[in-house]
């Protein structure tokens, strides 16, 4: 059974800092990995999707990497802003779609 | 684009009652997903449809849960009879035609369900 772990569970940083969120998974037989953000009281917003054949994807200040063999992905956020405050979840697709429990990010002005 | 529309936004009912959650996907999206989110278990995929056909319902917790998609613009998730442990936020999401979850999903704002 696939297990997805996100570390840290919570992170608080000052505005402008670059930061890294981590996601690890136990079964490397995945088709792709996705990063989402969730704002309080809202559904998830898809940020980046990395196919298993890819190593990274970039969108604006976000960069996600994937190392399938070691079961790890990172989400890099450059020059963080208060508007980046949210919970970030990763999800891996194998036979099913499995989510991590998320990292709650707070960016302080 | 109206986005994925879920109703109701909040539902409070007594155990044993039937609960029906509704979802209207984004027009043109052929894949639809139902999720449940709780503090204890996180976000779980319950069932998903491609072209109105259920593909994988292995996440549906019990026979008390059922989902239908009678047409491309409407889906329901029913719980009958409801129990307090069904209390959660239920999300619906839709995407372009997908295989192996390879398309970005668009989520609704969810239905917060409380079973007393």
């Amino acid at each position: 059974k696939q297990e997805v772990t996100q570390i840290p569970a919570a992170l608080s940083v000052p505005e402008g800092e670059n930061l890294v969120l981590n996601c690890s998974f136990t079964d490397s037989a995945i088709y792709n990995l996705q990063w989402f953000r969730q704002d309080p009281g809202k559904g998830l917003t898809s940020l980046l999707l990395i196919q298993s054949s890819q190593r990274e994807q970039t969108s604006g200040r976000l960069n996600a990497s994937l190392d399938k063999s070691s079961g790890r992905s990172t989400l890099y956020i450059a020059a963080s802003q208060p508007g980046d405050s949210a919970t970030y979840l990763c999800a891996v697709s194998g036979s099913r779609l499995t989510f991590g429990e998320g990292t709650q990010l707070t960016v302080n002005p | 684009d109206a986005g994925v529309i879920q109703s109701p936004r909040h539902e409070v009912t007594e155990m044993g009652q039937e609960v029906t959650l509704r979802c209207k996907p984004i027009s043109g999206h052929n894949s639809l997903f139902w999720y449940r989110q709780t503090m204890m278990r996180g976000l779980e995929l319950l069932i998903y449809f491609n072209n109105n056909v259920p593909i994988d319902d292995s996440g549906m917790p019990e026979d008390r849960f059922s989902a239908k998609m009678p047409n491309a613009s409407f889906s329901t998730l029913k719980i009958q009879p409801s129990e307090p442990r069904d209390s959660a936020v239920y999300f619906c999401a839709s995407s372009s035609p997908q295989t192996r979850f390879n398309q970005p999903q668009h989520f609704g704002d969810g239905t917060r369900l409380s079973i007393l």
Side-chain angles (χ1 to χ4, degrees):
Chain A
K1 178 187 173 186
Q2 178 75 270
E3 293 183 3
V4 181
T5 303
Q6 292 189 243
I7 295 173
L11 181 64
S12 181
V13 300
E15 181 177 3
E17 191 161 299
N18 302 326
L19 58 98
V20 174
L21 307 180
N22 297 292
C23 172
S24 61
F25 45 96
T26 55
D27 185 351
S28 61
I30 66 169
Y31 299 114
N32 58 64
L33 182 144
Q34 301 183 56
W35 283 94
F36 297 85
R37 70 174 278 169
Q38 185 174 25
D39 295 286
K42 297 291 186 179
L44 278 65
T45 299
S46 179
L47 297 174
L48 291 164
L49 187 154
I50 312 175
Q51 303 292 351
S52 62
S53 58
Q54 298 175 318
R55 294 299 298 260
E56 64 179 334
Q57 281 284 335
T58 298
S59 176
R61 294 181 294 108
L62 305 180
N63 176 276
S65 68
L66 174 63
D67 184 342
K68 200 172 78 162
S69 61
S70 68
R72 294 179 182 179
S73 176
T74 61
L75 179 66
Y76 175 82
I77 303 177
S80 58
Q81 303 172 357
D84 295 330
S85 298
T87 297
Y88 290 80
L89 296 96
C90 67
V92 298
S93 71
S95 58
R96 307 207 71 241
L97 188 63
T98 305
F99 286 79
E101 295 190 352
T103 293
Q104 186 173 357
L105 173 66
T106 303
V107 181
N108 301 299
Chain B
D1 191 342
V4 175
I5 300 173
Q6 291 188 246
S7 63
R9 286 299 314 277
H10 303 273
E11 174 94 9
V12 181
T13 191
E14 294 185 348
M15 66 177 294
Q17 298 297 308
E18 178 179 292
V19 173
T20 299
L21 310 181
R22 297 173 175 80
C23 176
K24 177 179 171 56
I26 292 172
S27 178
H29 281 187
N30 293 57
S31 297
L32 183 138
F33 309 80
W34 282 103
Y35 293 90
R36 176 173 69 175
Q37 187 173 41
T38 62
M39 290 293 292
M40 288 289 292
R41 301 174 67 90
L43 192 64
E44 302 171 284
L45 176 62
L46 300 178
I47 185 172
Y48 75 94
F49 297 81
N50 277 350
N51 296 314
N52 312 338
V53 176
I55 301 301
D56 182 356
D57 65 354
S58 60
M60 296 285 264
E62 300 174 32
D63 291 344
R64 298 183 296 105
F65 286 68
S66 63
K68 293 183 179 180
M69 192 165 186
N71 57 62
S73 60
F74 183 66
S75 177
T76 60
L77 178 67
K78 284 189 178 181
I79 308 173
Q80 167 64 18
S82 58
E83 297 183 5
R85 60 194 168 115
D86 302 330
S87 297
V89 180
Y90 291 81
F91 289 104
C92 176
S94 70
S95 76
S96 300
Q98 59 87 36
T99 56
R100 298 171 179 170
F101 310 104
N102 66 347
Q103 296 296 324
Q105 297 178 34
H106 299 256
F107 280 70
D109 285 339
T111 294
R112 184 172 296 276
L113 177 64
S114 297
I115 308 296
L116 306 177

